[in-house]
Amino acid sequence: MTDAAPSPAAPSWSIDPADVARFSAIAAEWWDPKGKFAPLHVFNPCRLTFIREQALERFDRDGSANAPFEGLSLLDIGCGGGLLSEPMARLGFSVTAIDASEKNIKTAATHASEQGLEIAYRPATAEQLLAEGAGPFDVVLTMEVIEHVADPGEFLRTCARLLKPGGLMIVATLNRTLKALALAKIGAEYVLRWVPPGTHDWKQFLKPEELRAFLAGEPVETHGPFGVTYNPLTGRWGRSTDVDINYMMTVTKG
């Protein structure tokens, strides 16, 4: 998400400027596990496990290897401060990570450099990459991003077009249900204060059938949804059959 206007020559219609500004304003806090992005730090192990499991199965890789995905390319769309990009690089992926916020990219690139990781960070949109002929990529991640864009259908189709034949895309988002309104919006933002008020717009949450419909004309197959829930007793996130709030879907091409 960006506070710097995209090039007029580059398609960028999925961007929501208000969300770009909101995330840019707190970009420096991405790597503070007790800061404004603390919920993502808690959520990250669950996301990473799911991505790893799905990629191991899709590409028939050896999970006991130190870098099981060596030789595969990965695009992290809406990468923020790099909370997913860095673990993916450690798993062996050649990582390209984009975000429309230049402040987020600067934070992510600085942190990766401090860790000795080579990640191709750049401030850009998915539409810009597609227009430039970038990729395609073996894996495309769009995690907790689609509910923040202005045109989710066009955004998701663009992401799918950046995927190689045989590739895997993983989408994570929030379901537009009354339960999600009560817990993920009102509860998380105004009661528990997990995220700053105004972070989410419940009307932008998406139902799984809507994601499938967005991709109906593309040469891909969608799988899921796979539910994700928070256990307040353990303080951890885990896989669940409950898709009423958080869920993930996988998309495969060819």
Side-chain angles (χ1 to χ4, degrees):
M1 328 236 66
T2 191
D3 53 346
S7 165
S12 57
W13 51 81
S14 74
I15 293 303
D16 185 331
D19 271 318
V20 168
R22 186 176 297 115
F23 284 98
S24 292
I26 53 177
E29 299 193 48
W30 276 104
W31 287 96
D32 181 357
K34 296 182 180 180
K36 289 185 171 66
F37 293 104
L40 272 183
H41 285 267
V42 177
F43 192 23
N44 228 26
C46 180
R47 299 195 299 175
L48 292 170
T49 298
F50 183 81
I51 295 167
R52 186 177 183 276
E53 290 175 349
Q54 293 294 319
L56 285 173
E57 181 178 353
R58 181 64 177 171
F59 301 105
D60 193 24
R61 293 299 178 102
D62 179 6
S64 66
N66 288 332
F69 305 115
E70 192 170 359
L72 296 177
S73 60
L74 180 144
L75 173 64
D76 186 5
I77 298 175
C79 64
L83 299 188
L84 286 174
S85 301
E86 290 196 10
M88 292 299 105
R90 290 190 175 97
L91 286 171
F93 283 110
S94 173
V95 178
T96 298
I98 64 170
D99 198 287
S101 167
E102 189 170 359
K103 289 183 179 179
N104 283 348
I105 290 296
K106 287 180 179 178
T107 297
T110 298
H111 193 272
S113 177
E114 291 170 350
Q115 304 302 310
L117 294 172
E118 292 187 14
I119 297 172
Y121 282 114
R122 58 173 294 198
T125 66
E127 291 88 354
Q128 283 177 289
L129 258 62
L130 188 64
E132 294 168 3
F137 301 87
D138 294 296
V139 176
V140 173
L141 302 180
T142 169
M143 311 292 282
E144 291 79 40
V145 175
I146 193 169
E147 69 270 18
H148 295 290
V149 303
D151 188 336
E154 191 58 44
F155 171 78
L156 195 60
R157 287 186 290 274
T158 298
C159 295
R161 291 166 189 168
L162 287 163
L163 193 62
K164 278 185 183 179
L168 169 71
M169 179 165 74
I170 300 179
V171 184
T173 190
L174 290 149
N175 206 342
R176 197 173 65 255
T177 63
L178 291 178
K179 186 175 179 180
L181 174 62
L183 298 179
K185 173 61 182 177
I186 298 171
E189 294 185 15
Y190 297 97
V191 179
L192 298 173
R193 298 285 178 170
W194 280 356
V195 293
T199 296
H200 295 106
D201 180 348
W202 179 78
K203 296 188 293 296
Q204 290 181 284
F205 290 5
L206 294 156
K207 294 181 176 293
E209 56 265 31
E210 292 173 322
L211 295 189
R212 284 192 287 268
F214 290 153
L215 294 172
E218 298 295 314
V220 298
E221 292 184 7
T222 57
H223 313 271
F226 306 94
V228 184
T229 57
Y230 179 73
N231 185 332
L233 297 179
T234 63
R236 296 179 180 178
W237 289 86
R239 289 276 301 279
S240 169
T241 56
D242 183 354
V243 299
D244 288 344
I245 304 178
N246 295 81
Y247 68 93
M248 294 182 278
M249 295 186 74
T250 63
V251 179
T252 55
K253 178 180 284 189

